[in-house]
Amino acid sequence: MIMREKVFDILAVILILISVALLFADLSDNFLCNDEAFTAAVGRNVLQFGYPRAFDGTNLVYPYYPKLILEKSFLWISDTWTQFYLVALSFVIFGVSDWAARFPFVLSGVLTLILSYLFCRHYLRSKIAGIFSLLLLGTSVPFLLHSRQARYYGLVIALCFAIFYCYHRVIEKKKGYICLTALFVALSWTNHAAFVPMFACTWLMALFMDRKDIKWKKFISLSVVSVLFLGAWLYIWWPTFVYDSAEYPARLSLLQVKKNLEFQLRTINNYFMPVAFWALFMLFLRIFKKREVFGLSATEKKVLKRILTVLLCNVAFFTLFGMRTMRYYVQYLPFLYLIEAVLLLKLFKWKKYPTIVIFLLLIFTNFLSRPNPLFLTKGLPGKFDVSEHSKFRTYFPDYLYELTHEYTGPTEALCGYLKSNAKPGDRIKIIKGDLQVIFYNPELTVINDARYYKKTYPEWIVMRKYWNPIYEDVWGRGMEIDIEAGYLDVLDRYEKIALPAVDSIRENEPDNMETHFFRAPVITPENQMCVYRLKEKS
């Protein structure tokens, strides 16, 4: 029996090491996307100025959002600062690079994997469930992609699950209150939107499930400290909130709430865990009087109730606030896979071979996510095509292909060309992709504000194929410029240079699994990335 237990621990270590390889493999192959480059650029400024400064002395990030930056100090106040200081620390240790920018967040992904197994071992009392959760989490493409981003995503996943883990330690071992406080403080300064539902669900669990097991003086003290730290950040962030509220008013109509909820359910079902499949499967067992297959122990019931509380609080919060992007939901992943691990464990004890088949389908295909009820298979809000979200896909094999094959994105091609051909001090007009140029080509002066729309002749101009109507509408109005000033009438003085990449709108961001380039797209004259270089005077 002891030997068998050791085998599970050894297998867990092997699976974690494989997941580490999947997370770290070819980490610097793709250039940072626009959001990542922003984090890296501000992180580099922390090294120079000691705080998250938007202006490095030459270039300014997001000049078209002036309300997000404090005047005089150029302090960035829209995003919480933990990610910038982690990137700065990584730059101190490893040097300034895209690999170093991503390192802290990949490490957070590794921590989540370790905590997932330890949680199953200590609080679900099942190492097999821990192995199953490692298999599911370690092969989850949304988890792998978001954890590899030089953004707060991987850190939020780790912190949310660490709070859940530490809460169980508080309940069962009556200690860990200081650790829980530190985790809440860290989350409040990493992503305050994720803090609110996690804090709320912790209080709900304490009040309605674990009232007798809580040391209330300590629990209230940790809550006060956590809220004070959150309040300190909200005080800094308040001008951003007022600005966002004016620009993007919350529409809490029933229709809007319904759309927000549907979007979350589609995202969860199609990319995280096939909830519809499991619901139909359990209904099938109930009809054929096989309810005992999923019979739960008292311990499992308690843990699953807490997990459901966490998920419901998060879903409710993001439904009300309408954050319809996958990046805001990735902290659900370890919780969902704990539920799925328990379901698979019960099924495995009943029928081993069908469970293995289900496991293979879950890991290697999206087959079980496709036969959804009608309300889950409707197209995503807006311009997305229904058919794109019901195709048979193999995300994990596609991810493996991406790791083992070269892909050159548009700004990678651009920054590489500028590195070889531009001169220090050259000016470049660019809006979308400006943050990558600021990070990878700091020797250049980036014109990414209202000056972009002036009729001037910098050494370089980047005109994105898809971007013209978008930035003229949004950025143009925001900067109060005259878009009819003829700022592009100067291109006859420039040489058009085609670059070896497709001019794609989203680079290789992880949010949309349907547009993520697991394979390099085919370059055509219509979609090719270009840059314009000022002709030399004859």
Side-chain angles (χ1 to χ4, degrees):
M1 187 67 178
I2 296 176
M3 182 59 68
R4 183 186 175 189
E5 293 297 311
K6 287 184 178 180
V7 168
F8 285 129
D9 288 337
I10 293 170
L11 181 57
V13 171
I14 293 172
L15 289 175
I16 289 170
L17 290 175
I18 292 172
S19 298
V20 168
L22 291 172
L23 284 167
F24 277 98
D26 220 12
L27 192 59
S28 59
D29 176 51
N30 293 340
F31 266 37
L32 303 174
C33 70
N34 214 50
D35 288 344
E36 289 183 285
F38 158 70
T39 306
V42 177
R44 183 173 59 193
N45 290 348
V46 170
L47 293 181
Q48 182 177 355
F49 301 101
Y51 63 93
R53 182 179 162 106
F55 184 57
D56 62 8
T58 302
N59 295 311
L60 181 67
V61 301
Y62 291 125
Y64 27 83
Y65 290 138
K67 298 294 184 181
L68 309 186
I69 304 167
L70 289 185
E71 295 181 9
K72 297 182 180 179
S73 67
F74 294 101
L75 179 68
W76 182 262
I77 59 172
S78 180
D79 296 71
T80 37
W81 299 338
T82 304
Q83 59 181 339
F84 304 128
Y85 283 98
L86 282 177
V87 168
L89 178 61
S90 186
F91 285 166
V92 169
I93 298 171
F94 301 109
V96 177
S97 68
D98 43 19
W99 187 94
R102 288 170 172 152
F103 175 79
F105 309 100
V106 178
L107 206 60
S108 300
V110 176
L111 177 61
T112 304
L113 288 161
I114 295 171
L115 286 176
S116 179
Y117 178 73
L118 292 178
F119 182 89
C120 292
R121 178 181 174 180
H122 293 150
Y123 301 117
L124 274 175
R125 315 287 196 267
S126 173
K127 291 186 178 182
I128 302 178
I131 296 298
F132 286 178
S133 69
L134 283 178
L135 282 169
L136 293 167
L137 190 59
T139 57
S140 167
V141 176
F143 173 74
L144 294 168
L145 289 177
H146 283 84
S147 296
R148 285 165 60 90
Q149 294 280 299
R151 292 286 287 166
Y152 58 83
Y153 318 135
L155 184 58
V156 167
I157 299 171
L159 286 172
C160 287
F161 194 71
I163 286 171
F164 189 69
Y165 182 97
C166 194
Y167 175 80
H168 280 77
R169 191 164 183 264
V170 164
I171 295 302
E172 295 201 5
K173 297 187 178 180
K174 314 302 181 194
K175 57 184 180 181
Y177 287 90
I178 294 176
C179 179
L180 191 57
T181 306
L183 289 169
F184 269 121
V185 169
L187 182 59
S188 69
W189 281 69
T190 299
N191 186 285
H192 48 279
F195 171 91
V196 175
M198 283 304 300
F199 186 78
C201 73
T202 303
W203 262 93
L204 287 174
M205 290 186 293
L207 284 171
F208 298 106
M209 298 180 195
D210 308 301
R211 188 182 306 171
K212 295 179 181 179
D213 298 314
I214 293 287
K215 294 181 179 179
W216 281 101
K217 287 185 179 180
K218 290 186 176 181
F219 191 77
I220 292 172
S221 297
L222 85 83
S223 299
V224 170
V225 171
S226 302
V227 170
L228 285 174
F229 271 90
L230 175 67
W233 170 252
L234 293 179
Y235 176 78
I236 297 170
W237 175 73
W238 184 252
T240 301
F241 175 77
V242 174
Y243 174 70
D244 286 343
S245 298
E247 291 291 318
Y248 309 105
R251 299 176 181 141
L252 291 178
S253 66
L254 288 177
L255 179 60
Q256 191 66 33
V257 169
K258 177 176 176 288
K259 287 182 177 181
N260 294 343
L261 179 60
E262 286 179 350
F263 183 89
Q264 282 200 73
L265 294 177
R266 280 192 297 272
T267 300
I268 291 169
N269 189 83
N270 293 356
Y271 305 115
F272 295 175
M273 172 186 170
V275 178
F277 162 75
W278 284 113
L280 291 172
F281 191 82
M282 286 189 279
L283 178 62
F284 172 82
L285 291 179
R286 186 183 182 91
I287 291 172
F288 288 93
K289 299 180 180 180
K290 295 289 185 181
R291 295 174 60 183
E292 70 278 1
V293 172
F294 290 117
L296 300 173
S297 67
T299 298
E300 289 168 339
K301 286 180 180 179
K302 283 183 180 180
V303 170
L304 291 181
K305 282 180 181 178
R306 292 173 187 143
I307 291 175
L308 289 173
T309 303
V310 171
L311 292 172
L312 288 173
C313 283
N314 277 273
V315 169
F317 178 83
F318 290 110
T319 295
L320 289 175
F321 286 89
M323 297 175 177
R324 279 191 262 172
T325 310
M326 185 187 290
R327 68 183 65 179
Y328 296 115
Y329 316 142
V330 286
Q331 64 268 25
Y332 303 177
L333 287 168
F335 299 101
L336 289 168
Y337 291 139
L338 282 182
I339 295 174
E340 198 162 35
V342 172
L343 294 175
L344 286 165
L345 176 60
K346 301 300 178 182
L347 199 57
F348 187 75
K349 291 179 178 178
W350 180 50
K351 298 285 184 181
K352 289 184 174 57
Y353 294 112
T355 307
I356 293 172
V357 172
I358 290 173
F359 234 124
L360 293 174
L361 290 173
L362 287 170
I363 291 174
F364 291 102
T365 77
N366 70 335
F367 178 76
L368 299 179
S369 299
R370 294 174 69 237
N372 306 328
L374 179 62
F375 81 98
L376 288 175
T377 55
K378 291 180 180 178
L380 294 176
K383 59 185 178 181
F384 295 99
D385 183 6
V386 177
S387 61
E388 288 298 315
H389 298 269
S390 59
K391 288 180 179 178
F392 180 79
R393 297 291 299 271
T394 54
Y395 294 118
F396 185 60
D398 287 344
Y399 177 79
L400 296 178
Y401 183 93
E402 179 182 349
L403 292 184
T404 53
H405 292 76
E406 181 69 24
Y407 165 73
T408 300
T411 49
E412 179 176 354
L414 171 65
C415 293
Y417 188 86
L418 293 172
K419 183 68 72 174
S420 301
N421 295 276
K423 300 174 183 177
D426 276 4
R427 298 160 298 158
I428 176 170
K429 275 187 176 184
I430 181 171
I431 296 289
K432 182 67 173 180
D434 54 323
L435 298 172
Q436 286 104 320
V437 177
I438 288 173
F439 179 71
Y440 286 106
N441 306 95
E443 70 281 359
L444 304 181
T445 299
V446 177
I447 301 172
N448 57 349
D449 54 14
R451 293 173 298 163
Y452 186 96
Y453 299 93
K454 303 295 182 183
K455 195 171 182 178
T456 56
Y457 303 91
E459 288 77 12
W460 304 88
I461 293 177
V462 176
M463 179 64 226
R464 307 300 291 269
K465 294 180 183 298
Y466 59 83
W467 196 246
N468 190 34
I470 301 175
Y471 68 57
E472 286 193 348
D473 180 47
V474 180
W475 268 256
R477 285 187 292 106
M479 291 187 286
E480 298 181 356
I481 51 88
D482 179 11
I483 62 175
E484 303 298 333
Y487 61 96
L488 291 179
D489 293 344
V490 302
L491 293 183
D492 58 335
R493 300 193 186 186
Y494 286 77
E495 173 191 3
K496 183 178 180 180
I497 300 165
L499 301 175
V502 168
D503 188 6
S504 57
I505 187 169
R506 287 293 183 187
E507 294 291 329
N508 232 3
E509 295 177 2
D511 290 85
N512 194 325
M513 300 285 285
E514 309 308 324
T515 59
H516 183 87
F517 289 130
F518 293 102
R519 298 167 185 265
V522 177
I523 301 172
T524 66
E526 290 74 29
N527 66 18
Q528 191 163 17
M529 180 71 178
C530 298
V531 61
Y532 294 87
R533 177 168 57 187
L534 186 64
K535 296 175 183 177
E536 295 183 2
K537 295 180 180 180
S538 56

